Amino acid sequence: MSKGSAADMVQKTIIDDAKAEAKRIVDEAEVAGRQRTEEALENARTNLTGWADRRRQMAQDSGDRILGKAQNDAHMKILEAKAKIIDGAFVHARKQFEKERSQARYKTFLKNLIINAGTQIGGGDIVVLARKEDQALVSKMTGLATTISKAAGQSAKVSVGKTPMDLIGGVFVQNKEGNITVDYRIDTLLGQVGTQKRNEIAKALFGEEAKTE
Amino acid sequence: MSKVLTDIQKSEAEAEKIIEEARAKAEQIQRQAEREARETEPKVRQELTEEIALIQKDVESKAKTKARQIISKAEKEAATLEEASAKNMKKTVDLIVSGVYEYGGAS
């Protein structure tokens, strides 16, 4: 081996070793860098898991809210439609009463209402308030005071209020002082029927129980 | 002999330079990795936000379509109720009128 060649070999070895060391340094840095990136990604995913899950759930919930509101609105539409139809039946019933005034059963009905009311008041001076068309009818009724007296256990006197009431039928009955009253106006009774027979009415109309609230 | 030494010293200097450059590059790689690490969470958050926004848009779109179907079905049902109840109206009115007459004991 020549002298020059030996020196060259030493020089080459120095450079090769340096390059190997340089490669090791860079390789290690790259491995560490990749690890750092992976760790950062893993940490970010861990840190954001709860947040992302809540946001995903909120996204799903927004769909559920839309559907819930639609179902509620749909339910309300059906209920409103039923309520409207039931109201319509009461409008028809009210009109029916306007036609009933001349019928015998209406007269009997009116008489019974007065007797019931007079009995509830407990006899005494009973004043019957009625619509103009019924005032004469009530005036002509016989046996009212006697029946009320018997039922109430106290003598009774029945008179018709002079001022006619603005109503479609029925009576508003009170004692002389006006502090005890019984409201048997048709509109009031229709309201009571609407409350008490709501399910029956719905069943008659729709073949099912009422769900109008 | 002195030339050999000089050459070797030159090689050592060059080797030192190679290693220094490698260290500088390693530091650069490390700084780059640190910068990317700092940016990772905001980047992941942004990606998730976009992904969830798409999910929400899809969920809402499907829900709105279904909601329209639900409302449409209810409207049809309401119309059907109206038609079906018309044939029962007379007996219902009779029921109401009878109910009122019951207050006078004459239904």
Side-chain angles (χ1 to χ4, degrees):
Chain A
M1 185 182 285
S2 71
K3 207 166 129 189
S5 290
D8 286 347
M9 286 292 285
V10 170
Q11 281 179 271
K12 189 176 179 300
T13 302
I14 289 167
I15 297 299
D16 286 348
D17 287 352
K19 282 180 179 173
E21 176 65 6
K23 186 177 180 305
R24 187 190 61 76
I25 290 168
V26 172
D27 285 351
E28 276 182 10
E30 283 175 345
V31 168
R34 277 197 297 275
Q35 279 176 351
R36 182 72 186 97
T37 304
E38 283 166 14
E39 273 172 22
L41 190 60
E42 188 60 35
N43 285 341
R45 284 179 178 153
T46 304
N47 291 344
L48 293 171
T49 297
W51 171 82
D53 286 348
R54 284 193 298 278
R55 293 286 298 267
R56 280 194 195 93
Q57 188 58 51
M58 283 163 69
Q60 292 294 339
D61 289 349
S62 70
D64 292 344
R65 271 197 302 279
I66 290 168
L67 283 181
K69 185 180 179 303
Q71 276 157 355
N72 199 40
D73 288 351
H75 186 59
M76 284 307 293
K77 273 186 190 294
I78 304 285
L79 294 185
E80 283 166 9
K82 285 182 178 176
K84 191 178 159 197
I85 293 165
I86 291 175
D87 287 348
F90 276 89
V91 169
H92 285 301
R94 202 171 185 275
K95 283 180 183 164
Q96 180 75 22
F97 271 102
E98 288 172 353
K99 296 177 195 165
E100 294 265 329
R101 57 181 65 149
S102 60
Q103 292 182 11
R105 80 163 173 171
Y106 178 71
K107 290 172 191 168
T108 308
F109 167 68
L110 217 52
K111 188 175 181 180
N112 288 339
L113 286 182
I114 295 165
I115 291 167
N116 288 348
T119 306
Q120 283 178 56
I121 289 169
D125 284 333
I126 303 294
V127 181
V128 179
L129 304 173
R131 63 180 174 178
K132 194 176 177 185
E133 296 88 335
D134 292 343
Q135 282 180 321
L137 194 68
V138 176
S139 298
K140 289 177 191 167
M141 284 178 186
T142 55
L144 282 176
T146 311
T147 311
I148 292 170
S149 299
K150 201 177 283 180
Q154 190 182 319
S155 66
K157 184 184 163 191
V158 178
S159 60
V160 180
K162 287 177 185 168
T163 310
M165 287 192 91
D166 182 19
L167 39 84
I168 59 163
V171 286
F172 190 88
V173 184
Q174 59 185 45
N175 64 354
K176 191 180 174 185
E177 293 76 21
N179 59 352
I180 305 174
T181 61
V182 177
D183 187 356
Y184 277 155
R185 290 174 296 178
I186 294 297
D187 280 324
T188 306
L189 298 178
L190 280 170
Q192 289 183 16
V193 168
T195 305
Q196 289 167 2
K197 292 184 181 280
R198 190 176 199 84
N199 284 340
E200 218 177 316
I201 291 163
K203 205 170 177 182
L205 277 170
F206 315 119
E208 60 178 74
E209 298 248 319
K211 282 175 188 160
T212 54
E213 284 176 8
Chain B
M1 186 65 184
S2 74
K3 186 180 181 306
V4 170
L5 278 174
T6 306
D7 286 346
I8 288 171
Q9 282 172 345
K10 276 183 186 172
S11 294
E12 282 175 344
E14 193 184 339
E16 187 62 31
K17 194 181 167 195
I18 288 167
I19 289 168
E20 278 307 309
E21 281 173 0
R23 284 187 182 132
K25 192 176 178 188
E27 277 176 23
Q28 192 188 351
I29 290 168
Q30 198 178 351
R31 280 197 300 274
Q32 175 70 18
E34 283 303 323
R35 188 166 57 246
E36 284 177 3
R38 282 194 301 276
E39 290 167 356
T40 298
E41 187 161 322
K43 193 178 163 194
V44 170
R45 185 185 288 270
Q46 179 61 30
E47 284 169 2
L48 285 169
T49 301
E50 286 166 13
E51 177 200 320
I52 292 164
L54 283 176
I55 290 172
Q56 179 153 0
K57 197 176 168 190
D58 183 52
V59 164
E60 287 185 358
S61 171
K62 284 178 181 162
K64 282 176 184 169
T65 303
K66 194 155 184 210
R68 279 194 291 274
Q69 290 169 350
I70 289 169
I71 295 292
S72 173
K73 190 181 166 199
E75 283 169 350
K76 281 179 191 162
E77 195 179 334
T80 306
L81 273 175
E82 205 157 334
E83 287 168 23
S85 63
K87 67 177 188 294
N88 298 324
M89 189 54 79
K90 192 184 175 310
K91 74 171 181 188
T92 307
V93 171
D94 289 345
L95 176 71
I96 295 168
V97 170
S98 297
V100 171
Y101 272 117
E102 281 170 17
Y103 284 92
S107 58

